[in-house]
Amino acid sequence: MSDYTPLTALTVTRKNIENCAFSQWYPLFKGHTTRSRILKPVPQEFIDYLKQDGIKLPEDKEDNSFYTAGISNNDDNEYSDWEEENEDGDAESANPNSENATKAVDPMIHFKEFHEQLKDTIKELGPVTPKLNWSAPKDSTWIVPNNSMKCNEVNEIYLLLNASNYIMHDLEYAFDECEPEVENTTQPETELILREWFDINPALEFRVFVRNGMIVGASQRDLNYYDYLEALSDTFKDLIDEFVEDVVLPKFPDTSFVLDIYIPRPFNKVYLIDINPFARKTDSLMFSWNELITEKESAADEGEEDDYELRLIKENNTGRFACKEHSEHHVPRDVVDASLDPNAIRELAQKWKELLTQQEQESSEEEEED
């Protein structure tokens, strides 16, 4: 007997990935998801901006943004001493918004119209959450004070997108696991999606795995224990069955895919959050990919009923609480801790802006000496 389980092959094509792009499935299921705006074409300058090292926010004089506002001289923060040293003529340069300050290149000058389009969309939809073709920047929520993807202003969109490894995946590695194809190897057009924000109870999010037109498993998305979920398991499965069979399968071009859904109280409607490829790059959560690939075949061989398991956390998972979701993509611990406190992240942002200004001054002085 073998001491290990061989890895079952799972192939995915470029077409499978492209079918899961937001702009491909959103028109099919508009009535089952939140209002969204698909912004394209995305200027190449904006894509270059997302790929560059570091984060530079546009300085929009018409937008009173906390993230680019000047830092006032006061006695309440530890940086005031540095500000006082600049009172003899250098105080203006300490303020990144002063006319005489040495400024980094403002990225907005390269995509001003696109910047205005983002602002207009926020005015139309209210708070939004951003994503590219496939991925949302869930791994970078530590960088904004509310620790979520809720964006009340355009600079929060820039911060989330710039700090996210998931967004870089969309730009550089979306087709890495695909079978080699001779035709249709052009890179699809990058799209930025702004979705109307609504507050989700993470306990009621589920991931549903569909293979060859059949549900092979479903999993709780948030891997924490919620004592009331198990009693509702049959209700959830009935809603999932109906949604997949009556809504998704008749319209979606593939028969294998992974759904992210939300079932809020009073548990009578399913909301579609996202559609992902049935591929190992998609997190299988409480399942292994081998289970998902072989489960139906095993059940058929043993003559079992055509059913699937909805996996839920059955007890408090203390190990889960010991780490923060997506923490493998995060920054040093002190920054993560600061992100849990709005006052601390505000202080961190102020220090960040001061350090940037100081670096710009030093760079300018070095250029003058040369």
Side-chain angles (χ1 to χ4, degrees), residues 279-307:
R280 293 186 188 278
K281 67 193 309 180
T282 300
D283 191 345
S284 58
L285 296 176
M286 297 180 68
F287 291 88
S288 71
W289 270 107
N290 265 22
E291 285 181 288
L292 295 170
I293 297 168
T294 61
E295 186 166 334
K296 284 300 180 184
E297 285 86 343
S298 300
D301 291 342
E302 297 173 12
E304 296 179 1
E305 292 184 7
D306 183 21
D307 196 10

Side-chain angles (χ1 to χ4, degrees), residues 71-343:
I71 304 167
S72 59
N73 193 354
N74 60 74
D75 298 326
D76 297 329
N77 65 61
E78 61 186 284
Y79 319 117
S80 59
D81 290 342
W82 181 79
E83 291 173 352
E84 289 170 3
E85 291 176 2
N86 290 277
E87 286 181 355
D88 296 332
D90 289 334
E92 285 187 339
S93 62
N95 178 359
N97 289 329
S98 69
E99 292 183 1
N100 296 326
T102 302
K103 297 182 179 179
V105 176
D106 185 352
M108 197 181 76
I109 65 176
H110 299 298
F111 45 86
K112 182 174 176 58
E113 290 184 4
F114 192 67
H115 176 82
E116 294 299 326
Q117 194 175 359
L118 297 180
K119 289 172 61 178
D120 291 343
T121 303
I122 292 175
K123 289 178 183 177
E124 176 192 355
L125 298 180
V128 296
T129 178
K131 67 175 294 181
L132 293 193
N133 303 46
W134 299 277
S135 302
K138 293 181 178 180
D139 58 325
S140 58
T141 54
W142 58 267
I143 203 169
V144 289
N146 60 24
N147 291 288
S148 76
M149 291 195 298
K150 181 181 181 180
C151 296
N152 295 291
E153 61 165 284
V154 69
N155 279 330
E156 289 174 330
I157 295 175
Y158 295 148
L159 283 170
L160 286 170
L161 296 179
N162 270 284
S164 172
N165 289 331
Y166 295 168
I167 294 303
M168 191 55 59
H169 166 271
D170 277 20
L171 295 174
E172 300 284 354
Y173 311 110
F175 301 104
D176 273 12
E177 296 181 13
C178 296
E179 289 184 320
E181 294 184 60
V182 177
E183 70 283 354
N184 191 26
T185 57
T186 57
Q187 186 70 16
E189 185 177 28
T190 298
E191 55 197 44
L192 175 62
I193 297 97
L194 298 183
R195 309 183 71 180
E196 184 178 33
W197 168 266
F198 71 101
D199 198 15
I200 286 181
N201 178 355
L204 301 175
E205 284 188 279
F206 302 93
R207 176 160 285 184
V208 182
F209 302 88
V210 180
R211 185 175 185 233
N212 297 330
M214 295 188 297
I215 302 174
V216 294
S219 171
Q220 189 177 326
R221 284 282 284 124
D222 181 52
L223 302 183
N224 289 310
Y225 173 63
Y226 300 96
D227 57 4
Y228 60 90
L229 291 183
E230 190 169 3
L232 292 164
S233 179
D234 289 339
T235 299
F236 293 145
K237 288 184 69 174
D238 288 343
L239 288 167
I240 290 170
D241 290 340
E242 183 179 353
F243 185 71
V244 171
E245 293 172 11
D246 297 345
V247 177
V248 182
L249 283 172
K251 294 182 178 180
F252 194 68
D254 292 334
T255 57
S256 296
F257 47 83
V258 180
L259 301 177
D260 286 334
I261 61 172
Y262 180 53
I263 308 177
R265 298 177 187 276
F267 310 126
N268 57 8
K269 183 174 180 178
V270 174
Y271 289 87
L272 180 59
I273 303 299
D274 207 357
I275 302 181
N276 311 284
F278 193 85
R280 293 186 188 278
K281 67 193 309 180
T282 300
D283 191 345
S284 58
L285 296 176
M286 297 180 68
F287 291 88
S288 71
W289 270 107
N290 265 22
E291 285 181 288
L292 295 170
I293 297 168
T294 61
E295 186 166 334
K296 284 300 180 184
E297 285 86 343
S298 300
D301 291 342
E302 297 173 12
E304 296 179 1
E305 292 184 7
D306 183 21
D307 196 10
Y308 64 93
E309 182 182 0
L310 170 58
R311 289 192 178 173
L312 305 171
I313 299 293
K314 300 296 180 66
E315 60 184 10
N316 278 316
N317 184 358
T318 55
R320 177 68 180 170
F321 286 108
C323 66
K324 188 172 169 60
E325 191 174 14
H326 309 292
S327 59
E328 67 273 20
H329 301 282
H330 287 182
V331 294
R333 181 72 189 180
D334 56 344
V335 179
V336 177
D337 290 342
S339 73
L340 302 177
D341 179 0
N343 291 327

Side-chain angles (χ1 to χ4, degrees), residues 61-75:
K61 294 180 180 179
E62 299 177 0
D63 189 13
N64 186 23
S65 170
F66 154 72
Y67 299 95
T68 55
I71 304 167
S72 59
N73 193 354
N74 60 74
D75 298 326

